[in-house]
Amino acid sequence: MSQLLTRAPASGGLPAPVPTGPVRLHINGETQTLQLAPWTSLLDALREYAHLTGTKKGCDHGQCGACTVLVNGRRINSCLTLAVMHEDDDITTIEGLGTPDNLSPLQQAFVDHDAFQCGYCTPGQICSAQGLLNEGRAHSEAEIKELMSGNLCRCGAYVGILDAVSEVANSQGEMVK
Amino acid sequence: MYPFTYSRATDVADAVRDKAGHDGSAYVGGGTNLIDLMKMNVEQPAHLVNVAKLPLAKIEDLPNGGLRLGATATNSDTAWNEQVKARYPLLNQAILAGASPQLRNAATNGGNLMQRTRCYYFYDLATPCNKREPGSGCSAIGGFNRIHAILGASEACIATHPSDMCVALAALAPTVRVSGPQGERSIAFEDFHRLPGDHPEFDNTLAEGELITSLDLPEKGFAKHFAYLKLRDRHSYAFALVSVAVGLEMDGDTITDARLALGGVAHKPWRDHSAEALLKGQHATAETFGRVAAHVVANAVGQGSNDFKIELARRAIVRALKQAAEGKQEAGDVYLGGQ
Ligand SMILES: Cc1cc2nc3c(=O)[nH]c(=O)nc-3n(C[C@H](O)[C@H](O)[C@H](O)COP(=O)(O)OP(=O)(O)OC[C@H]3O[C@@H](n4cnc5c(N)ncnc54)[C@H](O)[C@@H]3O)c2cc1C
Ligand code: SF4
Ligand code: FES
Ligand code: FES
């Protein structure tokens, strides 16, 4: 049996800091080569190295959804994955969904429905909602609620968030009602 | 985090070789459990071997009528696979009851089996924990143990295995195919996870360096009469306090075959063969269900803050058996509470 707790060998200690290396990421349609250490999370790479600060760090442990981004169109928590694990993946952040002059349908719906208060969870909510629309598996409000449950809102703007996501899902013909 | 080296494996042999070549290294799948533990310095591998992009993501028919779930298929892709939905709806519902859509999109089937306990003390380096530091003691015994085990625990550890998917798997009884430095082998799902005994540092029976390559489900999927019932502190995105997976085969009102497994109650997904035997040949009545449920928890032991789990489990078993017999739960795109 293997001892599952994996630790660096006691004798050698931790390896000497590994120099950063080039990591090629496709972010919002642009290819960027960033100098990153293996232990840099995708979230930190986006915020600190690609300077895209729209994606937020809430818990850093997969528990809140503030860091949600789309990787090859699918929503994941960028805090629990390493940037090096996404070489050559297509990453979309809130900045890639729309611009202030040209909001995406979800971004517009969040504004229209007052779907935030402080706004900290909002980029994650919108990226998650975009992932939900891409998946095409929410066909009722109850299903939207369940499939948006990976995004917490400390301000409790859930009613507005549900209205915003429902409106766009409806307009895209995803709802059964 | 802390410094470590990294590589991406190109095939199974390369992954096994790379891991064997680095002392204190670990495989990483979706990273949703391992990276969390590394941030807490609970796990500190010196080298990571990324297996997420190995060609092990397929879900395909087996010649014996079963279904092979690739180890690197994501939990989402597995739950939503048409074959899984049609033939193993219990698995579809159990996976969708776990974690969040984002986490399920990243999490792999292999990683799900290997995820570690959520015991608070296991995560807290400032407290003794036999699973983390063998011989240091168990802080949960006599401490806060609301989420801890009521069955099969030991004096060394009362942790639970947190997976939902694995509870359905315990009922469906696949084999776990692994590949390691000594070659390939298959492990019956039931023998994969273990009880803590004197060695809670071992969650399972995987040998050093072995890589899970697939889960091979047998043909029998209990698609007509099944239930996954998960009870937790909030309605979604929370680990189970108690969960129940049931698969029945029925001839009219008579139960001809039965599977029953519990989550949130033990160090491993808790399948109870004797309860299954008690169900076989019986009529699906409240009386039968009550008797079987009482049997399952007859030897349960509370630790203080988790005493409520004994009665909760008893009632959850009755409800899940009833739901399965009625055959109302269906595979779906969402888990809405097994109502
Ligand atoms: C906030 C939160 C809530 C959650 N809620 C739930 C829940 O309600 N229900 C539930 O069931 N789960 C829940 N989870 C856990 C989640 O399901 C697991 O983290 C996930 O399944 C792990 O898969 P992974 O691929 O990300 O594993 P990783 O983190 O990549 O790896 C986990 C372990 O598996 C090993 N490993 C990975 N792949 C292989 C392989 N092929 N062969 C051998 N070893 C391998 C790694 O070395 C590591 O030790 C939750 C997680 C979080 C963070
Ligand atoms: S229950 Fe197990 S994991 Fe938790 S403190 Fe005790 S030994 Fe550690
Ligand atoms: S910051 Fe990633 S889930 Fe909270
Ligand atoms: S708007 Fe403040 S956390 Fe959601």
Side-chain angles (χ1 to χ4, degrees):
Chain A
M1 283 181 290
S2 63
Q3 181 169 323
L4 286 175
L5 199 68
T6 319
R7 290 278 169 82
S11 51
L14 290 173
V18 184
T20 57
V23 179
R24 193 173 58 219
L25 300 172
H26 306 300
I27 308 172
N28 299 331
E30 252 176 61
T31 301
Q32 298 203 29
T33 303
L34 305 173
Q35 288 290 322
L36 300 175
W39 53 90
T40 304
S41 68
L42 179 59
L43 174 58
D44 286 345
L46 291 170
R47 288 183 54 86
E48 312 293 334
Y49 295 83
H51 306 296
L52 292 166
T53 53
T55 308
K56 298 292 184 262
K57 184 183 283 191
C59 63
D60 214 21
H61 290 282
Q63 300 177 357
C64 75
C67 65
T68 304
V69 299
L70 299 163
V71 173
N72 302 326
R74 303 177 64 147
R75 47 180 166 160
I76 66 165
N77 306 96
S78 61
C79 68
L80 286 189
T81 191
L82 303 172
V84 278
M85 292 164 70
H86 295 286
E87 191 130 41
D88 287 329
D89 282 343
D90 282 318
I91 295 148
T92 308
T93 67
I94 189 71
E95 290 91 343
L97 288 180
T99 60
D101 304 329
N102 185 20
L103 296 178
S104 78
L106 277 167
Q107 288 170 324
Q108 186 63 53
F110 269 63
V111 174
D112 294 345
H113 290 275
D114 247 346
F116 41 78
Q117 186 179 352
C118 76
Y120 198 80
C121 72
T122 312
Q125 299 279 2
I126 293 178
C127 285
S128 185
Q130 187 61 54
L132 172 140
L133 295 176
N134 296 352
E135 288 155 12
R137 297 181 190 277
H139 310 299
S140 65
E141 288 203 345
E143 294 182 352
I144 291 178
K145 280 188 194 168
E146 169 58 24
L147 292 175
M148 284 297 292
S149 71
N151 294 82
L152 305 188
C153 174
R154 192 65 206 275
C155 299
Y158 294 111
V159 175
I161 294 169
L162 179 62
D163 286 348
V165 179
S166 300
E167 181 185 88
V168 181
N170 248 329
S171 73
Q172 301 191 354
E174 291 203 6
M175 304 283 272
V176 280
K177 283 185 306 206
Chain B
M1 249 182 278
Y2 63 91
F4 57 83
T5 56
Y6 166 90
S7 63
R8 182 193 285 182
T10 51
D11 58 30
V12 171
D14 177 50
V16 170
R17 209 182 312 115
D18 191 14
K19 171 134 173 40
H22 290 87
D23 272 357
S25 58
Y27 296 123
V28 61
T32 61
N33 189 223
L34 183 60
I35 292 173
D36 192 19
L37 289 164
M38 288 166 69
K39 287 184 179 185
M40 305 292 288
N41 288 318
V42 176
E43 303 260 16
Q44 283 197 332
H47 178 73
L48 283 189
V49 181
N50 183 1
V51 298
K53 299 205 175 169
L54 290 181
L56 297 173
K58 280 207 200 100
I59 295 180
E60 53 196 351
D61 285 327
L62 289 167
N64 67 1
L67 190 69
R68 170 165 293 170
L69 310 176
T72 61
T74 64
N75 288 179
S76 297
D77 285 345
T78 306
W80 286 331
N81 177 273
E82 290 305 326
Q83 292 288 327
V84 170
K85 283 170 79 170
R87 295 163 59 190
Y88 309 96
L90 172 60
L91 183 60
N92 154 276
Q93 287 290 284
I95 295 174
L96 294 179
S100 70
Q102 290 96 314
L103 288 161
R104 297 192 295 263
N105 276 347
T108 61
N109 292 336
N112 194 305
L113 261 63
M114 299 291 289
Q115 66 174 297
R116 313 229 50 195
T117 185
R118 309 304 286 200
C119 171
Y120 336 108
Y121 304 103
F122 177 68
Y123 271 79
D124 180 358
L125 298 189
T127 60
C129 166
N130 285 326
K131 189 179 279 299
R132 186 166 30 75
E133 296 292 341
S136 63
C138 171
S139 302
I141 299 176
F144 288 101
N145 47 40
R146 177 173 164 73
I147 63 170
H148 289 74
I150 53 170
L151 289 164
S154 73
E155 281 173 18
C157 177
I158 59 170
T160 54
H161 193 266
S163 168
D164 288 292
M165 177 181 187
C166 289
V167 184
L169 290 173
L172 293 167
T175 53
V176 184
R177 278 176 68 243
V178 307
S179 197
Q182 309 321 323
E184 295 182 10
R185 65 180 181 123
S186 292
I187 308 168
F189 189 78
E190 200 167 4
D191 300 329
F192 186 82
H193 296 101
R194 57 185 295 284
L195 290 178
D198 293 335
H199 288 286
E201 68 274 26
F202 301 119
D203 288 358
N204 56 51
T205 57
L206 207 64
E208 176 58 41
E210 281 181 329
L211 177 77
I212 302 171
T213 55
S214 73
L215 298 166
D216 291 358
L217 288 162
E219 186 171 6
K220 208 178 227 189
F222 300 92
K224 276 214 187 95
H225 293 281
F226 75 94
Y228 190 71
L229 177 63
K230 178 176 184 181
L231 303 173
R232 42 189 156 172
D233 277 327
R234 60 181 182 199
H235 202 68
S236 183
Y237 197 15
F239 286 96
L241 290 166
V242 168
S243 71
V244 186
V246 175
L248 299 176
E249 286 196 339
M250 314 265 301
D251 182 2
D253 185 33
T254 304
I255 297 165
T256 55
D257 196 5
R259 298 283 172 80
L260 177 63
L262 269 63
V265 298
H267 196 259
K268 62 184 284 188
W270 187 263
R271 180 173 169 195
D272 190 327
H273 289 275
S274 60
E276 293 170 4
L278 280 179
L279 283 162
K280 275 180 219 170
Q282 300 297 309
H283 292 295
T285 61
E287 195 275 322
T288 305
F289 301 154
R291 190 157 34 86
V292 170
H295 170 83
V296 175
V297 299
N299 296 319
V301 181
Q303 299 286 341
S305 0
N306 70 348
D307 292 349
F308 72 95
K309 278 193 183 181
I310 300 174
E311 180 60 11
L312 189 68
R314 193 188 65 75
R315 293 182 187 211
I317 293 165
V318 172
R319 189 158 123 201
L321 284 168
K322 183 164 177 281
Q323 286 174 349
E326 287 170 352
K328 286 202 183 133
Q329 197 172 352
E330 285 173 12
D333 289 338
V334 189
Y335 175 80
L336 289 176
Q339 300 304 324

